[in-house]
Amino acid sequence: MRAWRYWQMSPRRRLRSVAQRHVEWLPARTMNAVCLGGGHPAPDPGCWCGFSGARDLATLKEHGLCVQPGPVVVGEVFLWGRVLDEPYGYRAQHARPAALALVEGTAGGPAEQAAVLAVLQAYEVDVTVVPLDYALAGTTAAMLSFQLMSSRASRGLG
């Protein structure tokens, strides 16, 4: 099954989960969920372990995640193995990116955007750039828009 999620870039230039910042997604590799605290197979109905994905982009946008400044990536993932239904979507045992999109303006200038797009190509999926209002909504979109506008103004570009 396919689902939607956000990532940011880790300092090592890999996709990093927004909620679990210590989890890096390795290029062209399947991610296998483990529960570090519960000692049970992931996902488990009584725990929050497993790889999460929203049913669709509209649902993902509704959840308005807190993201830090820096490149934001939105995309679809394949989820399989043990999969649990959740109100927002799913939690799964295995995951792998299916398609990735860099959110326009979140990577800085053209050179940084090109560098991030090159990194995303290593995931061996379709990679695009999408406008901020396509990928994000609500407080998260407003916060990132403000940060981008402030950053441009401080560099004399606004």
Side-chain angles (χ1 to χ4, degrees), residues 56-73:
D56 51 45
L57 182 57
T59 301
L60 181 65
K61 289 166 69 169
E62 276 180 33
H63 281 81
L65 299 173
C66 294
V67 294
Q68 295 180 354
V72 176
V73 176

Side-chain angles (χ1 to χ4, degrees), residues 63-125:
H63 281 81
L65 299 173
C66 294
V67 294
Q68 295 180 354
V72 176
V73 176
V74 64
E76 288 186 275
V77 291
F78 294 115
L79 300 175
W80 72 96
R82 211 170 18 264
V83 178
L84 301 178
D85 264 338
E86 296 288 349
Y88 62 87
Y90 316 98
R91 281 189 297 129
Q93 179 181 11
H94 306 292
R96 185 177 180 132
L100 300 170
L102 174 62
V103 178
E104 189 173 44
T106 63
E112 177 67 10
Q113 179 172 308
V116 171
L117 290 171
V119 167
L120 295 179
Q121 292 296 330
Y123 288 85
E124 300 178 354
V125 299

Side-chain angles (χ1 to χ4, degrees), residues 34-35 37-44 46-49 82:
V34 295
C35 184
H40 51 254
D44 184 86
C47 187
W48 290 104
C49 57
R82 211 170 18 264

